[in-house]
Amino acid sequence: TAMELSTLLSEVFRNIYDSWQQQFLSNKSRMLSSTAAVFLAVLICEFPQVASFSVTLDCCSYRRTHAATLKPFRLRTEIPAVAFDANIDVMKLLDQEQEAGIAFRAVKEASMMKPMQEELLVHDLTERLAAIKRVKNSLSKTRASTVSGFGKTASKNGKGKKTQQEQSIAPIKPVFKDKEGYSSILHENGVVRINNVMPLSSAQALYSWTCEEKIASEKAIAEGIIDSRSRFTNALLKKNRWDLLLPLEDSAVVMKGLYDTLVANELLSSIITSRFGTSAELYELGALISDPGSDRQVIHPDIPFTMQADDAPDTVPIITCFIALQDIDADMGATVFLPKTNTAEHHRLLKDPFLRDDMLQSLPNKLSTLGVGDCSIFDGRLLHAGGANETDKRRILFYFTFRNPALPDPRSANNPGSIRPELKERKLTLRQIQDIVRNSNT
């Protein structure tokens, strides 16, 4: 009967919980709290007649994700000893355990990376010019080896036509034509800093408007006027952290910010154009908000490294630009980047629990402490993490991402990209956005 099953499940859970407490006290295990929650969820799914339990049927798939994420982690050390409640929200418990495990892991990563940390600085002109030469030579060799690799027969397919493999190759953009050299630094390191891309007045206006928009969006969601997914994207570690999706034409302040950074100041648009052309598609538009008390994130890429048919060294799926709307120091949660980790090998090492720590300890990492209006622009595959906000001030990063139209859209069900649905459907190009914001500024 349902009553008997409820009693049985309560006893099972209590026994597992007691076992966990004993092992925790002897320092043998800190995992059974999470394991008990998953085990209980699976049992409940096997007995749907127990109506008093509210659990969705994707627990099994969620269990695999949860276990894989928490396996290397030590969970929080204090869990209240409460009696089992038949109406327990198992999925919420799993989320809490996962967040606690990720936060603990992030603190460990910060400690092991600290000795190799330096500030992300602007490269001077001499460094940028040298990078232009290196990248130009590298790409010239790549083109030569790519063409010779097909051979004359393969290149023409014996009939004067290109092969299907050749046709699938995205055109290699002339990175070395970047006069300022910032795109070449981005090509080599996966990240580059540029100062003063947004005027102080625009940054301050965007900061105030973003704070007001967050409040207005939360109110509209609470009243059932709009869906939360149209205004917020799930951020990695949600405590005091929000990824707010921004409008385009509906906000004069956002339009002015885009005008200042993509039209009035040509540096960012020239970098995007040098890699993707003016047909680059808007992939994300938002504001990352980090309030006091937000935890540090674990090291992660924004998108996974995938092997494309056109896997050339300079093939980049997406480029993101973070612009500081206030001064950001180390204690405010500055983003940390691991240069040159936008590779298949570094992604493989990050996934390996036995090799990951050695990689993080040995690689140099750059802390992106920015002044108001400064930016960091990076390859979306680069390993990075947002820091913990240990100050009493809110930190906001205005950001936009453009994707390479010659490559498949990297969006997935678990990573849909941070953009409002109506903007996603429009598939706006860089050129179109420049025209829109330019017209609004006249």
Side-chain angles (χ1 to χ4, degrees):
T1 66
M3 180 65 70
E4 290 172 336
L5 283 172
S6 296
T7 303
L8 175 62
L9 291 176
S10 298
E11 184 177 353
V12 168
F13 182 83
R14 186 173 292 106
N15 287 339
I16 293 177
Y17 190 87
D18 290 344
S19 175
W20 175 83
Q21 285 186 313
Q22 293 174 6
Q23 293 191 46
F24 176 79
L25 292 175
S26 62
N27 202 32
K28 292 181 180 180
S29 172
R30 290 179 173 83
M31 290 301 299
L32 284 182
S33 170
S34 172
T35 304
V38 175
F39 178 61
L40 180 64
V42 174
L43 282 177
I44 295 169
C45 288
E46 293 295 322
F47 299 102
Q49 63 267 45
V50 185
S52 59
F53 292 94
S54 176
V55 181
T56 57
L57 292 178
D58 62 350
C59 287
C60 292
S61 61
Y62 189 88
R63 176 188 58 174
R64 289 194 295 271
T65 302
H66 184 252
T69 304
L70 289 180
K71 186 176 180 180
F73 302 159
R74 186 181 73 177
L75 299 183
R76 66 173 184 263
T77 58
E78 294 182 5
I79 296 180
V82 297
F84 176 66
D85 181 359
N87 295 312
I88 186 172
D89 187 341
V90 176
M91 299 307 293
K92 183 177 181 180
L93 176 60
L94 288 172
D95 284 336
Q96 291 173 347
E97 288 294 334
Q98 186 176 41
E99 290 263 313
I102 293 174
F104 186 91
R105 169 67 193 178
V107 172
K108 180 180 179 182
E109 288 181 351
S111 177
M112 67 176 66
M113 293 170 60
K114 188 69 173 179
M116 297 291 288
Q117 189 169 95
E118 296 178 349
E119 185 180 359
L120 179 67
L121 301 174
V122 175
H123 290 77
D124 61 33
L125 182 59
T126 301
E127 294 173 315
R128 302 199 305 270
L129 292 177
I132 291 175
K133 293 181 179 179
R134 291 193 300 268
V135 171
K136 180 177 180 179
N137 292 335
S138 173
L139 295 184
S140 296
K141 293 178 181 178
T142 299
R143 289 191 182 91
S145 62
T146 301
V147 174
S148 63
F150 287 117
K152 293 182 179 179
T153 303
S155 179
K156 298 298 182 180
N157 200 24
K159 299 179 181 179
K161 296 181 179 180
K162 290 184 178 181
T163 64
Q164 183 178 0
Q165 185 176 11
E166 285 179 299
Q167 292 173 355
S168 70
I169 294 183
I172 297 178
K173 301 299 177 183
V175 178
F176 52 83
K177 289 188 177 181
D178 171 37
K179 296 180 180 179
E180 296 292 334
Y182 289 108
S183 186
S184 295
I185 296 293
L186 175 63
H187 172 85
E188 289 190 323
N189 295 339
V191 62
V192 64
R193 173 175 176 166
I194 306 176
N195 287 347
N196 303 315
V197 300
M198 180 181 286
L200 176 62
S201 58
S202 291
Q204 291 175 333
L206 255 176
Y207 184 98
S208 298
W209 180 89
T210 299
C211 293
E212 294 171 359
E213 178 66 10
K214 174 182 176 294
I215 295 173
S217 296
E218 290 174 332
K219 183 175 184 293
I221 292 169
E223 294 175 352
I225 299 174
I226 58 174
D227 187 277
S228 62
R229 291 171 294 183
S230 69
R231 293 297 183 270
F232 295 95
T233 295
N234 285 334
L236 179 58
L237 288 185
K238 304 176 186 64
K239 177 186 174 184
N240 294 351
R241 181 179 272 112
W242 300 267
D243 189 351
L244 178 65
L245 310 181
L246 302 184
L248 188 57
E249 290 96 337
D250 291 342
S251 171
V253 179
V254 174
M255 294 275 279
K256 182 62 165 62
L258 290 172
Y259 174 82
D260 289 333
T261 54
L262 294 176
V263 177
N265 187 324
E266 298 180 351
L267 276 178
L268 296 183
S269 58
S270 69
I271 292 175
I272 297 167
T273 301
S274 73
R275 309 311 300 268
F276 303 158
T278 55
S279 295
E281 180 185 322
L282 181 66
Y283 181 79
E284 294 178 314
L285 179 63
L288 291 172
I289 305 171
S290 174
D291 275 356
S294 60
D295 294 320
R296 176 191 165 96
Q297 297 174 322
V298 290
I299 294 295
H300 65 279
D302 285 341
I303 59 172
F305 191 98
T306 56
M307 301 299 290
Q308 305 291 344
D310 57 349
D311 188 38
D314 70 336
T315 300
V316 179
I318 63 173
I319 290 176
T320 297
C321 181
F322 283 169
I323 302 174
L325 300 187
Q326 70 292 297
D327 292 338
I328 301 176
D329 58 27
D331 293 334
M332 193 179 279
T335 307
V336 59
F337 295 99
L338 281 74
K340 303 183 180 182
T341 57
N342 48 334
T343 69
E345 177 62 10
H346 288 99
H347 281 224
R348 183 188 69 81
L349 293 173
L350 185 68
K351 294 178 182 178
D352 191 322
F354 300 102
L355 301 177
R356 174 176 49 206
D357 288 356
D358 288 340
M359 177 189 72
L360 296 180
Q361 288 174 323
S362 61
L363 291 178
N365 61 90
K366 302 292 185 179
L367 191 64
S368 183
T369 50
L370 302 172
V372 58
D374 297 344
C375 81
S376 53
I377 183 167
F378 62 99
D379 181 337
R381 301 168 300 177
L382 193 75
L383 303 184
H384 64 282
N389 189 344
E390 299 173 344
T391 69
D392 58 356
K393 301 176 183 177
R394 168 173 284 179
R395 184 205 74 184
I396 302 181
L397 288 171
F398 172 64
Y399 73 93
F400 47 79
T401 301
F402 285 87
R403 81 172 188 89
N404 189 340
L407 296 179
D409 192 323
R411 291 183 178 91
S412 65
N414 294 328
N415 188 11
S418 300
I419 187 169
R420 289 196 177 187
E422 62 271 20
L423 288 180
K424 178 183 176 182
E425 293 177 1
R426 292 170 67 181
K427 298 183 181 296
L428 293 170
T429 66
L430 172 60
R431 179 181 296 164
Q432 289 173 325
I433 291 174
Q434 288 176 314
D435 290 341
I436 291 171
V437 299
R438 186 183 289 114
N439 292 336
S440 71
N441 198 64
T442 56

